[in-house]
């Protein structure tokens, strides 16, 4: 059960946090086997708050932020070894006012389409395509449209060690193609170490309904600014927020999971690569919550 939960989580990572997921290849599925019941609907919703921090240039003032995201995905079983996932998502950031030439809002709205190759009903390889608008403020313009692509797979190294490799593409980023790799170590039945971005962490099972984890979280994105920022032309903006976090996952039923977490955002940066300008915000405390439904 722990292994299945682990590898399913890796694949779900592709669809909800943007990079990769994986599974072992050493098992086969009989073509005569009837497909097992998998969740048809996957609904995720999260919200977080990062406290006020000063810009590195004190004349620019300070800024806090609210991060959020919601996705609704429908899973369609095409074959005993093939699954199509379709849906939509919205995510973004709301920033407090400051004197810095940065937006007060960043938002992504778009579709989610993923084709998964299944091994024993667990995704072994995933092609994830995300047509979306990624924009600042209220500038919902055609040039903010982009298509992000993630391709990933996983493989078994030893009985308890797995590798995850993949690549992601985003035309608004400074580096449009970004390779990603990670390791997963199943320490024992109650502990696993997941060194896979964007949320590398150590997870400890307390009981059947409660898990504790400690690790890091990489948040942010790449957006088109439009005309929302004084003194900044229509260009690409990358926002990055890296946090150290710890939290509790509570699973009252097989379909519902609730995570409460707290930590420290030790890296916050706005980067206009084409203008060679960036603005950094001092570290600050962070709290968040995440709800998942699977049915």
């Amino acid at each position: 059960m722990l292994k299945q939960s682990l590898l399913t989580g890796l694949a779900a990572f592709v669809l909800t946090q943007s990079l990769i997921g994986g599974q072992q290849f050493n098992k086969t599925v009989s073509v005569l086997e009837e497909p097992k019941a998998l969740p048809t609907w996957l609904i995720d919703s999260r919200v977080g708050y990062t406290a006020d921090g000063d810009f590195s240039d004190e004349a620019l003032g300070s800024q806090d932020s609210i991060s959020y995201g919601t996705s609704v995905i429908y899973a369609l079983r095409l074959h005993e070894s093939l699954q199509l996932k379709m849906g939509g998502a919205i995510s973004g950031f709301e920033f407090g006012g400051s004197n810095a030439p940065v937006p007060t809002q960043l938002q992504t709205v778009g579709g989610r389409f993923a084709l998964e190759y299944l091994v024993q009903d667990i995704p072994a390889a995933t092609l994830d395509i995300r047509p979306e608008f990624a924009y600042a403020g209220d500038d919902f313009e055609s040039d903010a449209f982009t298509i992000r692509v993630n391709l990933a797979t996983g493989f078994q190294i030893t009985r308890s060690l797995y590798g995850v490799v993949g690549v992601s593409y985003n035309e608004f980023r400074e580096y449009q193609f970004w390779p990603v790799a990670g390791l997963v170590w199943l320490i024992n039945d109650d502990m696993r170490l997941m060194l896979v971005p964007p949320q590398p962490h150590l997870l400890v099972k307390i009981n059947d309904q409660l898990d504790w984890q400690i690790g890091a979280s990489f948040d942010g994105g790449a957006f088109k600014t439009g005309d929302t920022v004084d003194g900044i032309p229509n260009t690409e903006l990358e926002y990055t927020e890296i946090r150290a976090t710890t939290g509790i996952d509570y699973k009252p039923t097989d379909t519902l999971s609730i995570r409460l977490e707290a930590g420290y955002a030790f890296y916050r940066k706005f980067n206009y690569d084409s203008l060679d300008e960036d603005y950094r915000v001092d570290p600050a405390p962070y709290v968040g919550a995440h709800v998942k439904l699977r049915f």
Side-chain angles (χ1 to χ4, degrees):
M1 181 63 71
L2 180 61
K3 182 181 294 186
Q4 179 165 332
S5 175
L6 160 66
L7 297 169
T8 303
L10 283 177
F13 163 72
V14 178
L15 301 177
T16 60
Q17 300 297 336
S18 87
L19 292 178
I20 57 178
Q23 157 68 336
Q24 59 187 347
F25 282 108
N26 67 323
K27 296 181 180 179
T28 59
V29 177
S30 169
V31 295
L32 301 177
E33 182 180 344
E34 290 295 326
K36 298 177 183 178
L38 295 177
T40 301
W41 289 98
L42 304 91
I43 301 173
D44 286 26
S45 188
R46 62 178 175 84
V47 63
Y49 174 73
T50 303
D52 206 48
D54 293 331
F55 279 89
S56 53
D57 181 352
E58 293 183 0
L60 298 178
S62 62
Q63 189 172 79
D64 60 354
S65 65
I66 296 173
S67 56
Y68 59 89
T70 297
S71 64
V72 179
I73 304 296
Y74 176 76
L76 176 64
R77 190 70 171 264
L78 303 177
H79 186 266
E80 64 266 13
S81 60
L82 202 61
Q83 180 169 254
L84 176 65
K85 289 182 176 178
M86 307 169 289
I90 181 172
S91 63
F93 297 86
E94 300 283 345
F95 300 102
S98 70
N99 298 321
V102 298
T104 56
Q105 181 187 59
L106 296 172
Q107 188 159 269
T108 299
V109 180
R112 297 289 184 268
F113 302 93
L115 188 63
E116 298 178 340
Y117 174 69
L118 305 175
V119 175
Q120 292 196 344
D121 290 314
I122 302 171
T126 301
L127 172 63
D128 176 36
I129 300 174
R130 303 184 176 196
E132 61 190 19
F133 290 87
Y135 58 97
D138 298 322
D139 278 16
F140 194 90
E141 300 176 355
S142 60
D143 62 354
F145 178 78
T146 185
I147 299 177
R148 287 194 289 146
V149 181
N150 307 295
L151 180 63
T153 188
F155 54 93
Q156 188 172 22
I157 300 173
T158 69
R159 184 175 181 180
S160 61
L161 188 65
Y162 298 82
V164 183
V165 294
V167 62
S168 70
Y169 168 77
N170 186 336
E171 67 172 311
F172 291 165
R173 287 193 308 229
E174 178 181 0
Y175 302 102
Q176 294 182 348
F177 289 92
W178 192 257
V180 180
L183 288 173
V184 178
W185 179 23
L186 304 179
I187 301 172
N188 55 45
D189 288 343
D190 297 323
M191 295 180 65
R192 64 180 185 249
L193 181 64
M194 300 183 65
L195 300 179
V196 182
Q199 294 181 326
H201 64 274
L202 172 68
L203 185 142
V204 179
K205 181 179 179 180
I206 299 174
N207 55 47
D208 289 341
Q209 292 185 318
L210 206 61
D211 295 334
W212 171 76
Q213 67 175 20
I214 184 169
S217 175
F218 296 79
D219 204 353
F223 309 83
K224 274 283 191 178
T225 60
D227 300 320
T228 62
V229 184
D230 293 339
I232 298 294
N234 190 348
T235 188
E236 292 82 20
L237 165 65
E238 286 187 65
Y239 176 68
T240 304
E241 183 169 321
I242 306 176
R243 317 177 189 108
T245 62
T246 184
I248 293 292
D249 286 331
Y250 175 54
K251 297 179 285 294
T253 70
D254 291 338
T255 60
L256 175 64
S257 174
I258 302 170
R259 174 183 298 171
L260 299 177
E261 61 183 10
Y264 202 66
F266 57 87
Y267 183 89
R268 290 189 281 175
K269 178 183 176 181
F270 297 86
N271 180 42
Y272 296 99
D273 177 62
S274 63
L275 305 177
D276 196 26
E277 295 181 8
D278 63 71
Y279 302 90
R280 297 174 185 263
V281 184
D282 287 346
Y286 164 84
V287 294
H290 192 170
V291 177
K292 296 181 182 181
L293 282 171
R294 303 285 187 266
F295 56 90

